[in-house]
Amino acid sequence: MSTISRRSLLAMAAAAIPASAAKKKIPVGLEMYSVRGEMQKDLMGAIKAVAKAGYEGMEFYSPYMQWTPEKAKEVRKLMDDLNVKCFSTHNGVNSFSGDGMKKAIELNTILGSKFVIMASAGRVNGLDGWKGIADLLNKGAEGMKPAGIGTGFHNHQLEFKPIDGTRPMEILAKNTDKSVTLQLDVGTCIEVGLDPIVWIKQNPGRIRSMHCKDWSPEKDKGYKVLFGEGVAKWKEIFKTAEKVGGVQYYLVEQEGSRFPEYETAEKCLVNFRKIYKG
């Protein structure tokens, strides 16, 4: 009986290992625009504060392109010391061609970033203009691939507003290579009346990163609500992003709140963990 019991227990333990390992832990970082005021005053101090709050990584926004390689190396050393990563960077169109792309590759390689995300396409004229942006993203993807860096596009409200019956994001999704990430900004998607869950399902495997920004329709609230205080259905969004979207990392983003920047970032992470685990 004792032998059978031991064997049974071992078999049960072995069977339990694949089940527990099946759900891959998705890291959560901070879009550094959330602490832009503090970051402008003290870049290294901001990185330390974000790591101390418990974030596993971060995404630097466009001013990083003004850094020298030496500055990027300083930032990378600090991140390594703090055991945090640069998941990706936010960029303008200049990072996707010519000398701008060369510099983006150089800096992102130093930082350890795996994705160069276009956060703004600038002024775009009509649907043909958006097809041009799709071409630029494809060329950027081709040019950055040898460096092991992927490209992507981050939506705001504009890209989900129809032009002649077609949304620019639909143009980008249809006309870019599947390797191009469609970085989903949840809050702006909801504000314009779209269901982020439906969008994820329409683009399987391409939502490799997601900005976890909440939104409320209540007067004077909008994006000032903390993560989890708005109308986003986060549990279902997370489930869909991981099961269908192919999400590799989450990024908390806050455009402003009733609290100072660091306190806002800390409170958002606490709320994120409660909802993600719940």
Side-chain angles (χ1 to χ4, degrees):
M1 286 295 292
S2 61
T3 301
I4 294 172
S5 297
R6 284 196 296 271
R7 286 177 178 174
S8 298
L9 287 171
L10 288 170
M12 290 171 64
I17 291 173
S20 62
K23 181 176 173 60
K24 181 181 178 182
K25 183 181 181 297
I26 307 298
V28 56
L30 183 73
E31 162 54 55
M32 295 300 281
Y33 184 77
S34 306
V35 292
R36 56 196 175 280
E38 297 293 344
M39 186 175 166
Q40 289 168 6
K41 291 186 289 185
D42 182 2
L43 170 61
M44 299 306 197
I47 294 171
K48 291 176 183 177
V50 169
K52 184 178 180 181
Y55 286 97
E56 298 163 85
M58 55 201 68
E59 179 178 72
F60 293 109
Y61 64 107
S62 53
Y64 90 92
M65 279 289 284
Q66 299 171 12
W67 297 351
T68 61
E70 290 71 29
K71 184 67 175 180
K73 289 175 183 177
E74 289 179 29
V75 171
R76 175 62 185 272
K77 183 180 185 306
L78 177 59
M79 290 193 298
D80 287 345
D81 291 343
L82 296 171
N83 195 30
V84 293
K85 299 182 181 296
C86 173
F87 295 140
S88 51
T89 58
H90 262 201
N91 299 260
V93 294
N94 62 310
S95 293
F96 293 82
S97 63
D99 290 340
M101 183 165 68
K102 290 179 182 178
K103 184 170 185 180
I105 291 173
E106 180 180 28
L107 295 181
N108 280 267
T109 298
I110 293 170
L111 293 170
S113 165
K114 298 302 181 184
F115 294 94
V116 172
I117 306 294
M118 186 184 294
S120 173
R123 185 180 178 86
V124 181
N125 295 317
L127 295 178
D128 285 341
W130 284 105
K131 289 179 182 178
I133 296 299
D135 289 341
L136 184 59
L137 287 165
N138 286 332
K139 290 175 182 176
E142 184 178 350
M144 296 185 200
K145 185 176 180 180
I149 298 172
T151 62
F153 187 89
H154 175 92
N155 70 268
H156 291 92
Q157 297 93 327
L158 175 68
E159 291 83 21
F160 277 125
K161 292 180 179 179
I163 299 174
D164 298 330
T166 302
R167 298 181 180 92
M169 278 305 296
E170 295 170 343
I171 294 291
L172 295 180
K174 181 180 179 181
N175 292 279
T176 52
D177 187 84
K178 292 188 183 300
S179 67
V180 176
T181 293
L182 304 176
Q183 187 183 70
L184 176 60
D185 184 318
V186 173
T188 57
C189 179
I190 292 174
E191 185 187 9
V192 295
L194 267 76
D195 185 342
I197 296 168
V198 172
W199 177 250
I200 294 170
K201 290 180 177 179
Q202 289 174 342
N203 296 279
R206 300 193 65 184
I207 316 297
R208 300 181 184 92
S209 64
M210 193 166 74
H211 274 218
C212 300
K213 181 169 65 183
D214 223 326
W215 179 80
S216 171
E218 294 183 41
K219 185 179 179 181
D220 299 326
K221 287 191 175 181
Y223 296 109
K224 293 182 179 180
V225 294
L226 297 177
F227 175 89
E229 293 181 346
V231 297
K233 299 176 181 177
W234 288 111
K235 289 185 180 181
E236 191 174 350
I237 291 171
F238 290 145
K239 181 180 178 181
T240 309
E242 293 178 26
K243 186 177 180 180
V244 180
V247 70
Q248 297 180 17
Y249 59 97
Y250 295 114
L251 290 163
V252 169
E253 182 187 9
Q254 192 72 25
E255 292 190 5
S257 81
R258 58 193 183 276
F259 302 104
E261 288 181 346
Y262 287 151
E263 187 176 356
T264 294
E266 291 170 2
K267 288 181 179 295
C268 283
L269 184 57
V270 169
N271 290 353
F272 180 97
R273 286 174 171 166
K274 285 180 181 177
I275 294 172
Y276 188 75
K277 289 182 179 180

